[in-house]
Amino acid sequence: MPRIKVLPQFVTPAVATSQAVYHADAVNFSGDDYATIPSLTATNSDFTSISFWFRRNGAPAVIDYFFVVNPSAPYHVVCYLDLNSFLVVRFADSPATSLSTIFFSNVCDNAWHNVIVSTNTNHTEADRKAGVDFKGYLDDVAAGNTNVSSTSGVGFQLAINGDAVNVGANLAGASPYSGDLADVWFGPNQSLLTAGDISQATRRKFISASG
């Protein structure tokens, strides 16, 4: 089973500040087990958001899946680490012909990283490639448009009601995640976007002890 332990996500600031130091209960996945929700109750929607903290030491030898909505495929929402230390967050329609993908590089460095992504998938391919209503942050730094890709010329809705959700592995425990994971928040039918961006005030709610 995954080992539960207290792992610090925020270290004491190097410069004295009034900000509290935050510690959260994190799950250490040892690469041999995972958690699952058999059926998600959620409204199918254009809007979806996700935030989490993770830490992994070294690139995986095979793709590490640590959050999958509809693991039986096509993956409607998937977060994984690839062999080049890239974190990939992807949203897809049911036939998996329309994909919206955002990625972040050099993340398997044994440090805690925060990720926040929010999207409205009901845009054309060109708009989604341009990052229209599709925004992601790694450690409070926005992903540029070169980190965004999409396929298919049509917008789509995430049909996730009734989907299973796996945390820590793919279907039936395949390609398990080895590393730490904490504060996973998944918001189907919820947008964090204001004027196409995730505001600093909103980001603080996910990466600050005081909110």
Side-chain angles (χ1 to χ4, degrees):
M1 295 294 292
R3 299 186 298 274
I4 309 296
K5 58 185 179 181
V6 175
L7 297 170
Q9 294 179 335
F10 291 86
V11 298
T12 304
V15 178
T17 69
S18 59
Q19 181 175 347
V21 177
Y22 176 54
H23 295 264
D25 287 340
V27 179
N28 172 251
F29 289 90
S30 55
D32 58 7
D33 216 330
Y34 64 103
T36 187
I37 300 171
S39 180
L40 183 68
T41 300
T43 302
N44 295 336
S45 172
D46 306 336
F47 302 100
T48 305
S49 303
I50 188 169
S51 175
F52 52 87
W53 286 84
F54 74 98
R55 179 174 66 176
R56 181 185 165 85
N57 187 13
V62 295
I63 290 176
D64 269 12
Y65 290 88
F66 58 83
F67 188 86
V68 183
V69 178
N70 197 37
S72 60
Y75 311 140
H76 290 147
V77 182
V78 60
C79 305
Y80 64 86
L81 296 167
D82 74 5
L83 282 62
N84 297 308
S85 295
F86 280 71
L87 167 69
V88 178
V89 181
R90 178 171 293 153
F91 306 88
D93 66 352
S94 287
T97 54
S98 290
L99 306 172
S100 290
T101 305
I102 196 163
F103 65 89
F104 307 92
S105 59
N106 302 319
V107 297
C108 299
D109 55 0
N110 202 31
W112 277 107
H113 295 288
N114 171 257
V115 173
I116 306 172
V117 177
S118 191
T119 183
N120 175 354
T121 56
N122 195 16
H123 283 286
T124 65
E125 177 186 4
D127 280 350
R128 285 183 279 126
K129 280 183 176 179
V132 175
D133 285 341
F134 187 21
K135 201 70 176 181
Y137 281 81
L138 175 74
D139 300 332
D140 221 21
V141 177
N145 286 351
T146 55
N147 293 59
V148 176
S149 66
S150 68
T151 60
S152 176
V154 298
F156 62 95
Q157 193 174 74
L158 287 167
I160 59 177
N161 186 48
D163 282 353
V165 179
N166 279 6
V167 180
N170 194 359
L171 179 65
S175 301
Y177 173 58
S178 294
D180 303 318
L181 193 61
D183 285 3
V184 177
W185 176 84
F186 178 52
N189 196 29
Q190 296 190 52
S191 176
L192 301 178
L193 298 168
T194 303
D197 199 359
I198 306 172
S199 70
Q200 185 181 60
T202 297
R203 301 196 308 270
R204 291 284 75 72
K205 295 176 182 179
F206 296 94
I207 61 177
S208 170
S210 60

